[in-house]
Amino acid sequence: MTLEVRDAVPGDALQIARVHKRSREAYYADALDPVDAARDRSPMWVDTLTRTDTWCVVAVQNRQLTGFVAAQFADHDDSPVKLSSLYVDPDWFGSGIGSALYDRFTEVAPAGTAELEVWDGNDRAKSFYSHRRWRPTTRIRPGVAGRPFVTWTLDLGRPPFEHDSPTRL
């Protein structure tokens, strides 16, 4: 069973949307609004994958798309890199796919500051990122079930991190 991490293409949009939906269902659980859960995200991913300002790679295990990571790299030295998505199909939680995708992100991201948002109710994601030197800020926006989305930051200029995180995505 070889894990392939490759650049995403527009033809991956439907499978990315499937992983996105299943992963959101897993971490939001009962807090997920049924109308939001039913929304088709594949048009959003087709648009995202055809934009020149977005970088995206997918993980493929046994010919099945099992995860993806997407980011927008800063076009100015003072603009942060935005890690906008890192999702793994729940059937593959704990398999190292999230770590492999994250490692690819750190390989290609330019030095500087990176930002991402984490829903405060997603303890798995908070553990994953905190073990990789990300730190929450005081910046928040309204979230689901009364729990905000919190902006986290990372200094990409630090030496590579050897993660020994017990949390694997």
Side-chain angles (χ1 to χ4, degrees), residues 35 40 54 62 82 86 132 159:
V35 173
D40 180 11
T54 300
N62 300 333
K82 303 275 188 194
L86 176 54
R132 287 159 178 81

Side-chain angles (χ1 to χ4, degrees), residues 7-8 44-57 68-73 82-85:
D7 290 338
M44 175 192 79
W45 282 106
V46 168
D47 178 62
T48 299
L49 295 174
T50 56
R51 294 177 56 169
T52 58
D53 66 342
T54 300
W55 168 87
C56 185
V57 298
F68 64 94
V69 61
Q72 291 76 41
F73 295 132
K82 303 275 188 194
L83 179 57
S84 56
S85 301

Side-chain angles (χ1 to χ4, degrees), residues 115-116 135-140 150-153:
E115 291 184 348
L116 59 80
R135 296 293 172 247
T137 70
T138 57
R139 290 183 307 186
I140 62 171
V150 179
T151 299
W152 290 51
T153 62

Side-chain angles (χ1 to χ4, degrees), residues 3 59 127:
L3 176 66
S127 178

